[in-house]
Amino acid sequence: MPQGQEEFSTSIDGFIEKIRIWYADKKEFRDQYDAAVNGAKPCPLPPHDNGYCDWQNKPIDFLCQFFWDWYQWQEQRSGVDNGLTFIERFSWINYDNRAGMDFVANPGPGRDLIADFTNLQGLQMDAPESKEAIKRWVRQLGPKRMDDYKIEDWENFNEFFIREIKEGRRPVDAKDDPTVVVAPADCVINMIVDDLKADTPIPVKTATATMNLRTLLDGSEYAERFVGGTAVSCILMPDSYHWYHAPVAGRVVAARDDIGGPYYGIRNFPQLLDKGDVGYGYDYKDFQDFRRGYVIIKTVYVDADGGPDGEGYVAQIPVGLNSIASVNFLPKFKGPFLEPVPVEKGERIGNFQYGGSLNILLFEKGRFPAVQLLQGQRIGVLEDPAKSATRFPRAPHTQLRTPPPNGR
């Protein structure tokens, strides 16, 4: 809990009461919320769309009812197919709305309130009663996908959410070849930046993706190592396997899992998810202030003959997004370290609890020019159209416009 913040709520009733008290007694909170809803843009979705929610000029009772419904929905009706519904609905309060971004993401009572609700969601999914949601998720994932996982008597939903893969179901490619980089998670991969800067936002190809290495790595001394290098996003969907693994072998020289920040504040949530190519062209600057951690791996480079070509660094940055999405490292990788910690390629680093999540990988200049595959390797899955519609409900040609950079 941030220093100086009030105690977190322990029930949804107490949380709703807190909203009403804050609105009545805290001028800063009242002004912040009123500015957010007064600046809210019309929801660009049609009213019949499941993600529709109009925040324009809504009174505080609307916010109370929204959080109440969100909590009850997770408790009674949550499932794989609609796990993003309320997150999308909530995102419209800050869509192309600077005051809305201030409310959900900047330090202040709005963000404190959302942190309170996030903690309440975590308690909800740690409770024994959350086992009912497990049954719905298992049924919707289906026997084919569930066959990848070890079946246990999970005590609560969060235990199920970080379920473990059976041995051999995720073989590590070229484990003894240090030149081969492997996916850190079950994810959708996108190149996002080809010429990283230490502290200067830059345009990327035809997109507006920008990043700040010093901010992203929270001032780490290793940030300079990645100037001129490449960043790759690895986005985990809510129904995916939620452990993340080392992309290369080597020695972990630095690690943190405690970089604070908001969970909400994605300016254009549908643009991140849809297009059929998750995250392509998105402005990842949104995530450099989110709740996150990092692992810096010192790895061996080899030349074309397989001989030594020096040593360098790869950074792995797990980012917790909307809902709980906590960044949890295994004890072995919790820094600071007295000496570097060995890590194998494909070794588990940590996990995310319920919510949206991503890993950002950073590579030194010239070391990772493209995502490259060999013949016969998996590049995707032929989905059931009904399932695709729940993940990517709007086709590329119907995408919402990207808010201008000053919309933050």
Side-chain angles (χ1 to χ4, degrees):
M1 181 185 306
Q3 187 175 5
Q5 184 174 313
E6 295 182 19
E7 291 292 325
F8 281 142
S9 304
T10 57
S11 70
I12 186 61
D13 292 314
F15 176 74
I16 298 301
E17 181 64 18
K18 176 183 285 188
I19 296 177
R20 298 190 187 283
I21 292 173
W22 280 18
Y23 191 78
D25 298 343
K26 285 192 174 187
K27 183 177 184 300
E28 183 183 4
F29 176 73
R30 182 170 60 252
D31 289 349
Q32 197 179 47
Y33 176 73
D34 287 348
V37 296
N38 290 340
K41 300 297 187 290
C43 183
L45 304 182
H48 60 77
D49 191 292
N50 202 36
Y52 176 86
C53 186
D54 181 7
W55 287 94
Q56 292 184 100
N57 303 309
K58 289 298 189 289
I60 197 64
D61 285 347
F62 184 88
L63 182 68
C64 292
Q65 187 64 50
F66 185 88
F67 279 123
W68 174 270
D69 292 343
W70 193 347
Y71 186 89
Q72 297 301 323
W73 167 83
Q74 286 187 327
E75 187 172 76
Q76 298 173 10
R77 300 181 295 279
S78 63
V80 177
D81 58 346
N82 51 12
L84 297 173
T85 301
F86 272 87
I87 293 173
E88 182 174 6
R89 291 175 185 172
F90 190 56
S91 75
W92 299 122
I93 196 172
N94 58 267
Y95 173 69
D96 197 9
N97 177 8
R98 183 183 295 273
M101 288 294 294
D102 289 343
F103 179 69
V104 302
N106 288 350
R111 189 168 114 178
D112 290 346
L113 188 77
I114 294 167
D116 193 341
F117 186 69
T118 297
N119 184 71
L120 195 61
Q121 289 175 308
L123 296 177
Q124 182 184 38
M125 294 189 180
D126 281 338
E129 293 78 12
S130 66
K131 292 182 73 171
E132 287 300 312
I134 297 175
K135 298 176 183 177
R136 292 190 291 274
W137 278 62
V138 168
R139 183 169 59 251
Q140 291 179 48
L141 284 169
K144 181 177 181 294
R145 293 188 67 188
M146 284 303 301
D147 189 54
D148 273 352
Y149 299 99
K150 299 176 182 177
I151 304 301
E152 303 175 29
D153 184 18
W154 297 288
E155 293 296 322
N156 54 55
F157 183 82
N158 266 332
E159 283 193 8
F160 162 77
F161 194 73
I162 57 171
R163 56 198 179 275
E164 297 188 11
I165 290 283
K166 291 178 180 176
E167 295 295 328
R169 293 301 173 93
R170 298 293 185 274
V172 178
D173 193 27
K175 194 159 187 178
D176 296 325
D177 184 347
T179 66
V180 175
V181 178
V182 299
D186 286 8
C187 57
V188 177
I189 291 182
N190 278 295
M191 304 286 284
I192 48 179
V193 177
D194 297 323
D195 185 16
L196 292 168
K197 304 295 184 184
D199 55 11
T200 305
I202 59 173
V204 182
K205 297 181 181 176
T206 58
T208 57
T210 57
M211 297 187 73
N212 179 319
L213 285 171
R214 292 196 182 104
T215 301
L216 190 65
L217 292 172
D218 201 41
S220 167
E221 63 182 297
Y222 292 96
E224 302 296 327
R225 297 280 183 173
F226 304 102
V227 172
T230 303
V232 176
S233 78
C234 308
I235 301 176
L236 289 72
M237 301 304 289
D239 57 350
S240 299
Y241 170 61
H242 261 67
W243 284 86
Y244 43 92
H245 299 236
V248 295
R251 291 165 290 158
V252 177
V253 296
R256 286 186 58 188
D257 65 349
D258 62 346
I259 304 174
Y263 291 103
Y264 293 84
I266 300 175
R267 282 173 287 176
N268 192 333
F269 182 74
Q271 189 209 23
L272 173 69
L273 286 185
D274 297 342
K275 292 193 174 184
D277 187 3
V278 178
Y280 179 76
Y282 196 78
D283 186 351
Y284 280 79
K285 186 181 179 212
D286 279 355
F287 305 126
Q288 66 189 23
D289 295 314
F290 269 58
R291 170 86 169 97
R292 64 199 183 281
Y294 65 74
V295 172
I296 310 293
I297 302 173
K298 189 173 187 178
T299 190
V300 175
Y301 294 139
V302 298
D303 60 22
D305 297 324
D309 188 23
E311 292 184 311
Y313 296 86
V314 173
Q316 179 172 4
I317 304 162
V319 183
L321 304 182
N322 306 328
S323 288
I324 304 166
S326 49
V327 176
N328 303 310
F329 283 9
L330 291 174
K332 174 180 176 179
F333 298 109
K334 286 181 176 288
F337 307 119
L338 295 177
E339 58 184 30
V341 175
V343 62
E344 296 181 3
K345 185 193 303 183
E347 184 174 352
R348 291 196 307 179
I349 300 290
N351 62 56
F352 297 107
Q353 292 186 330
Y354 178 72
S357 321
L358 75 149
N359 268 240
I360 296 174
L361 303 182
L362 304 180
F363 300 93
E364 292 178 302
K365 184 175 181 178
R367 291 293 182 177
F368 197 87
V371 176
Q372 304 173 68
L373 298 172
L374 294 179
Q375 183 275 323
Q377 292 184 321
R378 169 175 165 157
I379 62 172
V381 176
L382 299 175
E383 298 276 16
D384 180 337
K387 179 181 175 183
S388 296
T390 65
R391 285 185 168 187
F392 315 112
R394 280 166 287 284
H397 65 275
T398 63
Q399 283 300 297
L400 307 170
R401 67 183 180 88
T402 302
N406 63 3
R408 189 178 176 94

